[in-house]
Amino acid sequence: MKRVLSFFCGCLLLSCQTAPPPGEDNTDYRQEMRRLVIDLSAYARLRDSDFILIPQNGQELISGAARDYMESIDGTGREDLNFGYTGDNRRTPEKENESMLALCRMFASRGKTVLVIDYCRDESKADMAFAANEREGFLSFAAPDRNLRQIPPYPETPRHTGGQNITSLGEGRNFLYLINDDDYRDREDLLRDLRKTDYDILIIDLCFQESFWTAS
C-alpha cells in the first residue's frame, strides 16, 4: 500500500485577532498569516508539485477574502473538536464544539480534507469521537497522549483499512499523528513500528532527534 507522508505546518495558525489600542497597530494579522501560508505553498510547490500543506487549527482564517488561502492548502487539521478542549479525555463544551464544527464544515464544503485530532484515552470516547467525525466526513484520530508520541493501542487496526493504494490526501480514510520520538531509542525502532501499522496517512516530524529524515 502506498502511503502519503505529510507534515503539518510547523506553526500553529492563530485563531483569534485581538484589536490593539487605537492608533498603535493597524496590522491585519489574519491576512498576514494567510499570506504566509500562501507564500509557503507557492514556494514548496515550485520545488515539488505534489507537496501537501495542512495548516493546523486557525480555521478562522477562512473568514473574509480567503479564496487564495483556500487554493493554497490541501486540508485542515483540527484539534479538540470532540474531546480535549478543556482537558484530555474530557468532552469539548458544546459551544466550542459547534463553533469549530461550523468552520470545519466550510473547509469540507470546499473540497478540503479535514483531519481531526481528539485527545481521549477511553475506548468508548474514542468510538464516540470517530462516530461524530465520520458523520461529517472528517478523518478521525483519537490520541491517548497529547504529546503525540504513541501509536494508539485502540483500535488494534485503523478503521476503514481497505488495502487500496493511497496516492493523494483525498483518498485517505484514516491517519496516524506521531510527531514526538521520545519513546524511541533510534530511528529504526520508529520505522519498525510504523511499518507494522496500516494507516493510509502518516504524519510525523521532519526530524528524528534533530536529524532530518531522508527520502529513502
Side-chain angles (χ1 to χ4, degrees):
M1 174 185 290
K2 293 183 180 178
R3 296 188 178 99
V4 177
L5 183 61
S6 173
F7 298 97
F8 272 76
C9 184
C11 57
L12 294 183
L13 301 186
L14 302 181
S15 60
C16 59
Q17 179 177 337
T18 302
E24 287 192 11
D25 190 349
N26 294 318
T27 303
D28 184 341
Y29 290 102
R30 287 188 181 177
Q31 182 57 28
E32 290 300 312
M33 186 61 78
R34 280 192 287 262
R35 187 173 295 120
L36 172 63
V37 174
I38 292 168
D39 290 347
L40 176 62
S41 176
Y43 175 88
R45 288 170 179 168
L46 278 175
R47 289 151 180 80
D48 181 356
S49 61
D50 293 326
F51 189 87
I52 294 172
L53 186 62
I54 309 171
Q56 178 169 293
N57 300 333
Q59 280 77 31
E60 289 84 352
L61 293 180
I62 197 176
S63 62
R67 179 179 177 180
D68 290 346
Y69 172 77
M70 291 296 291
E71 291 178 350
S72 72
I73 65 174
D74 301 276
T76 185
R78 177 68 259 173
E79 292 181 291
D80 307 323
L81 179 60
N82 304 288
F83 289 92
Y85 189 85
T86 59
D88 294 359
N89 220 41
R90 297 177 62 180
R91 191 68 182 261
T92 294
E94 184 176 356
K95 179 180 178 181
E96 284 73 17
N97 170 265
E98 290 179 351
S99 176
M100 292 186 290
L101 181 58
L103 290 167
C104 287
R105 285 171 173 167
M106 294 176 69
F107 281 83
S109 71
R110 288 161 172 78
K112 305 301 176 182
T113 301
V114 179
L115 300 92
V116 176
I117 306 99
D118 288 300
Y119 294 97
C120 48
R121 299 181 296 274
D122 297 350
E123 294 182 5
S124 60
K125 293 178 179 178
D127 289 339
M128 291 170 61
F130 174 79
N133 292 323
E134 186 175 45
R135 284 194 298 270
E136 299 292 338
F138 304 158
L139 303 193
S140 184
F141 180 68
D145 171 24
R146 186 170 288 270
N147 290 320
L148 297 167
R149 59 190 171 191
Q150 296 180 25
I151 297 175
Y154 179 83
E156 291 185 12
T157 302
R159 297 177 175 89
H160 291 321
T161 298
Q164 71 277 12
N165 283 341
I166 304 301
T167 60
S168 68
L169 180 65
E171 292 176 353
R173 302 190 70 189
N174 55 64
F175 72 103
L176 172 66
Y177 196 12
L178 183 68
I179 59 171
N180 189 320
D181 57 29
D182 285 352
D183 289 350
Y184 290 92
R185 294 177 302 172
D186 57 55
R187 64 176 58 216
E188 288 305 317
D189 288 339
L190 175 55
L191 288 172
R192 182 195 62 240
D193 283 357
L194 292 177
R195 291 187 187 106
K196 291 179 181 177
T197 72
D198 198 16
Y199 289 94
D200 290 345
I201 302 166
L202 306 179
I203 302 175
I204 65 175
D205 196 77
L206 181 61
C207 301
F208 180 85
Q209 297 179 0
E210 301 184 1
S211 175
F212 288 117
W213 289 101
T214 66
S216 62

